[in-house]
Amino acid sequence: MSTPKKALFNWSSGKDSALALYKILQNPDFKIEYLLTSINQQFQRISMHGVRVELLEAQAKSIGLPLQIMQVPEMPTMEVYENVVAETLTELKKQGITHSVFGDIFLEDLRKYREDQLEKLDFKAIFPIWKIPTKDLIQEFISLGFKTIVVCVNERYLDKSFVGRIIDQDFINDLPENVDVCGENGEFHTFTFDGPIFSEPIQFEIGEIVYRKYEKPKTEDSSDKACDTSASDAFDYGFWYCDLI
């Protein structure tokens, strides 16, 4: 039997990450050494998701994997973000890590971006849930016993009423037809707090719901495209966030 390849997992704290991690942990060809997460340096929250670092740390502890945090400025240029990633991966490479795992599902341009960037560092990208229909993925996610709460919605697709809701069949049924059930186009982001990868549920309380609007980036590619496991959102509209405490 061959030795498993050492890998890091790009952890967003959300449902696609949770399901992809669940699947890769069952693959004997890989051994996950770290959860890698980018954090907004100013607010100490997960990039785009807005989740506090304390809850991220609670997830890692319950999952039982070391957490590697990348501190990123609030609105980094692509160059700044890519430099942070390169520095982090270069250090991790010294430990024999050769693969980087993502929870992306169907965004071809995002996958190519990740693969091209990793190739420069002699890393290979792995996508455990790639091209699985999102309607099938969300049903599998729920049937496995995962529980996740919506922490951010993009006002272009969804209104305030969707943020702070647990994803269940009612939530899925309420989604407009133009919204992907997994939010793969950046419609919404989640925080997963229970399921088969956790030794115990993550404890939290729901805090206030806040609205934030971002300036549109000067470049065509938003840094969210790289920093998050979902799509790139153009920042000429706002987001509703549900604070978890």
Side-chain angles (χ1 to χ4, degrees), residues 36 70 80-90 118 121:
L36 179 67
M70 293 190 299
V80 168
Y81 175 76
E82 288 167 3
N83 286 340
V84 172
V85 173
E87 289 172 11
T88 303
L89 296 192
T90 299
L118 287 172
L121 303 168

Side-chain angles (χ1 to χ4, degrees), residues 16-131:
D16 300 336
S17 272
L19 188 56
L21 179 59
Y22 171 80
K23 290 182 179 293
I24 199 71
L25 288 174
Q26 297 179 75
N27 188 334
D29 293 336
F30 298 97
K31 182 177 185 294
I32 303 299
E33 300 287 340
Y34 292 97
L35 299 178
L36 179 67
T37 306
S38 62
I39 294 296
N40 181 312
Q41 200 167 30
Q42 181 179 352
F43 296 103
Q44 289 300 293
R45 293 172 183 258
I46 298 173
S47 301
M48 280 311 300
H49 290 231
V51 173
R52 297 169 186 259
V53 169
E54 294 85 356
L55 289 173
L56 169 65
E57 291 170 341
Q59 281 183 323
K61 182 178 179 181
S62 184
I63 291 169
L65 286 171
L67 179 64
Q68 178 76 39
I69 287 176
M70 293 190 299
Q71 298 282 353
V72 179
E74 182 178 8
M75 293 291 286
T77 63
M78 289 302 291
E79 183 181 6
V80 168
Y81 175 76
E82 288 167 3
N83 286 340
V84 172
V85 173
E87 289 172 11
T88 303
L89 296 192
T90 299
E91 283 301 309
L92 292 174
K93 190 177 178 182
K94 295 175 183 177
Q95 300 179 33
I97 297 174
T98 56
H99 289 68
S100 189
V101 187
F102 298 90
D104 300 314
I105 305 171
F106 59 67
L107 297 172
E108 299 280 0
D109 61 336
L110 182 54
R111 174 170 178 154
K112 186 178 188 309
Y113 170 81
R114 298 202 196 285
E115 290 174 333
D116 290 348
Q117 293 301 310
L118 287 172
E119 187 177 3
K120 298 175 186 177
L121 303 168
D122 200 24
F123 271 75
K124 290 185 178 179
I126 305 296
F127 302 88
I129 58 175
W130 185 252
K131 289 298 185 181

Side-chain angles (χ1 to χ4, degrees), residues 42 56 92 148 157 197 214-215:
Q42 181 179 352
L56 169 65
L92 292 174
T148 197
Y157 302 100
I197 59 175
Y214 297 88
E215 294 180 8

Side-chain angles (χ1 to χ4, degrees), residues 193-243:
F193 58 90
D194 199 4
I197 59 175
F198 298 105
S199 61
E200 58 183 12
I202 311 303
Q203 302 299 319
F204 66 90
E205 293 181 5
I206 296 177
E208 64 177 334
I209 292 175
V210 297
Y211 177 81
R212 293 192 71 193
K213 194 156 189 171
Y214 297 88
E215 294 180 8
K216 194 169 183 179
K218 296 177 182 177
T219 56
E220 290 184 6
D221 278 330
S222 130
S223 54
D224 175 45
K225 179 175 181 178
C227 300
D228 187 54
T229 55
S230 295
S232 65
D233 298 310
F235 290 89
D236 53 349
Y237 35 83
F239 297 82
W240 288 103
Y241 288 92
C242 175
D243 192 18

Side-chain angles (χ1 to χ4, degrees), residues 131-229:
K131 289 298 185 181
I132 300 175
T134 51
K135 289 182 178 179
D136 295 342
L137 283 176
I138 198 65
Q139 293 301 332
E140 181 181 7
F141 180 85
I142 293 171
S143 67
L144 285 168
F146 279 108
K147 294 179 181 177
T148 197
I149 182 171
V150 177
V151 292
C152 169
V153 301
N154 183 329
E155 70 172 356
R156 183 181 179 185
Y157 302 100
L158 296 169
D159 61 41
K160 180 182 178 181
S161 68
F162 283 90
V163 75
R165 288 182 60 177
I166 304 293
I167 291 188
D168 54 15
Q169 202 60 50
D170 287 338
F171 176 89
I172 295 168
N173 293 342
D174 289 344
L175 287 174
E177 286 187 8
N178 66 322
V179 172
D180 180 74
V181 291
C182 284
E184 178 70 349
N185 297 303
E187 298 99 329
F188 61 90
H189 301 293
T190 59
F191 175 78
T192 302
F193 58 90
D194 199 4
I197 59 175
F198 298 105
S199 61
E200 58 183 12
I202 311 303
Q203 302 299 319
F204 66 90
E205 293 181 5
I206 296 177
E208 64 177 334
I209 292 175
V210 297
Y211 177 81
R212 293 192 71 193
K213 194 156 189 171
Y214 297 88
E215 294 180 8
K216 194 169 183 179
K218 296 177 182 177
T219 56
E220 290 184 6
D221 278 330
S222 130
S223 54
D224 175 45
K225 179 175 181 178
C227 300
D228 187 54
T229 55

